[in-house]
């Protein structure tokens, strides 16, 4: 999933930018959007049933319509939590606000934001949306173990069979922290050529929310659970000890 933030002061065109990007990107895949709120959500109107649910102590409240429309409110949900859920089903996520995150972002206006900035402009009117849409496609993918498992299960010839094994290693624990992307690509190639392995994903996920070390996810689909776990172990040995 490609993730892009849109940051800037009020009236700089953040929502206009998000809406235009969502319209363009939805032609190429599923889009999820998030907006940072500076106040309590006002979708639960006082006195209405869903507001009463929340007031009574419900952690999550979802309203569903007969034709599948829905809205939800709840407590204790972070941007990281939302992106982890989006990654399973969405191809793109556009995030309005969160200027202090490490998301790659469009910076509008003159308010300082945390890097990286992929595009800067005085307002939405000054953006080249054709160029910006192309830039989104070049951004690193945001993945989780769950989204990688979903990708494996959906890959050609693997749906509905085989056994999955997963593991996560800190980037700092790799035998070498130089050329991490090269190591990750090599590990994935080795796994895919291993006997009994039907498909594999090795993904480097850098933190978008703090200065913590990046992670490397290893996900294997193999003929059976024993082979899947053996392949994971072999891959971790190579990444941590001998690459």
């Amino acid at each position: 999933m490609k993730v892009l933030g849109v940051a800037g002061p009020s009236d700089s065109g953040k929502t206009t930018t998000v809406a235009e990007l969502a319209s363009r990107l939805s032609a190429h895949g599923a889009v999820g959007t998030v907006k940072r709120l500076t106040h309590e959500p006002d979708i639960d109107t006082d006195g209405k049933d869903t507001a009463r649910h929340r007031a009574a102590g419900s952690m999550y409240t979802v309203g569903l319509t007969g034709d599948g429309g829905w809205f939800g409110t709840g407590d204790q949900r972070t941007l990281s939590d939302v992106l982890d859920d989006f990654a399973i089903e969405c191809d793109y996520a556009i995030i309005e606000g969160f200027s202090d995150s490490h998301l790659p972002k469009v910076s509008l206006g003159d308010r300082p934001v945390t890097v990286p900035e992929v595009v800067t402009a005085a307002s939405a009117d000054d953006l080249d949306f054709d160029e910006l849409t192309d830039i989104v496609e070049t951004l690193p993918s945001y993945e989780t173990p769950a989204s990688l498992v979903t990708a494996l299960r959906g890959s050609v010839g693997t749906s509905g069979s085989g056994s999955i094994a997963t593991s996560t290693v800190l980037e700092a624990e790799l035998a070498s922290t130089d050329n991490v992307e090269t190591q990750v690509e090599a590990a994935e190639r080795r796994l895919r050529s291993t006997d009994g392995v039907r498909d594999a994903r090795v993904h480097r996920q850098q933190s978008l929310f703090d200065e913590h070390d990046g992670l490397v996810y290893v996900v294997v689909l193999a003929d059976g659970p024993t082979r899947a776990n053996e392949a994971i172990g072999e891959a971790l040995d190579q990444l941590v000890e001998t690459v």
Side-chain angles (χ1 to χ4, degrees):
M1 178 179 73
K2 306 296 187 180
V3 182
L4 180 69
V6 180
S10 298
D11 299 321
S12 60
K14 295 191 297 295
T15 301
T16 297
T17 301
V18 171
E20 180 64 23
L21 282 172
S23 175
R24 289 168 176 258
L25 293 171
S26 63
H28 305 286
V31 179
T33 62
V34 179
K35 177 179 172 63
R36 186 173 213 164
L37 301 177
T38 57
H39 54 78
E40 288 296 314
D42 54 12
I43 196 167
D44 282 340
T45 305
D46 284 345
K48 296 297 185 180
D49 293 344
T50 53
R52 292 175 63 191
H53 292 184
R54 286 290 306 282
S58 173
M59 181 178 292
Y60 305 114
T61 299
V62 176
L64 293 172
T65 67
D67 60 1
W70 67 278
F71 69 84
T73 57
D75 296 320
Q76 304 300 319
R77 196 105 174 114
T78 67
L79 178 57
S80 177
D81 294 334
V82 174
L83 289 180
D84 286 355
D85 286 345
F86 277 9
I88 298 174
E89 297 187 30
C90 293
D91 301 294
Y92 307 96
I94 311 300
I95 314 302
E96 181 175 340
F98 297 91
S99 60
D100 55 344
S101 73
H102 293 276
L103 298 171
K105 58 182 68 70
V106 176
S107 176
L108 301 175
D110 56 3
R111 179 181 295 173
V113 301
T114 301
V115 295
E117 299 169 282
V118 297
V119 172
T120 61
S123 71
D125 293 337
D126 300 306
L127 290 171
D128 181 336
F129 281 99
D130 289 333
E131 178 186 22
L132 184 53
T133 302
D134 289 341
I135 288 173
V136 170
E137 299 291 356
T138 70
L139 297 175
S141 291
Y142 182 92
E143 301 290 353
T144 67
S147 71
L148 294 172
V149 167
T150 299
L152 281 188
R153 286 294 187 191
S155 61
V156 176
T158 65
S159 179
S161 63
S163 296
I164 293 279
T166 70
S167 189
T168 300
V169 61
L170 289 172
E171 188 176 309
E173 294 178 354
L174 299 183
S176 170
T177 55
D178 296 329
N179 302 314
V180 173
E181 287 294 344
T182 300
Q183 297 179 56
V184 165
E185 292 169 3
E188 184 171 287
R189 286 195 302 271
R190 284 194 298 267
L191 276 169
R192 287 180 167 176
S193 64
T194 299
D195 288 343
V197 172
R198 302 185 184 187
D199 204 351
R201 298 286 190 278
V202 183
H203 177 78
R204 177 195 191 190
Q205 184 58 59
Q206 295 177 291
S207 176
L208 299 181
F209 309 103
D210 49 41
E211 300 294 341
H212 291 170
D213 287 330
L215 301 172
V216 175
Y217 301 135
V218 185
V219 183
V220 171
L221 177 64
D223 291 340
T226 299
R227 190 67 195 101
N229 286 313
E230 288 174 347
I232 284 281
E234 293 164 5
L236 292 178
D237 287 344
Q238 291 168 333
L239 280 168
V240 174
E241 296 177 7
T242 61
V243 173

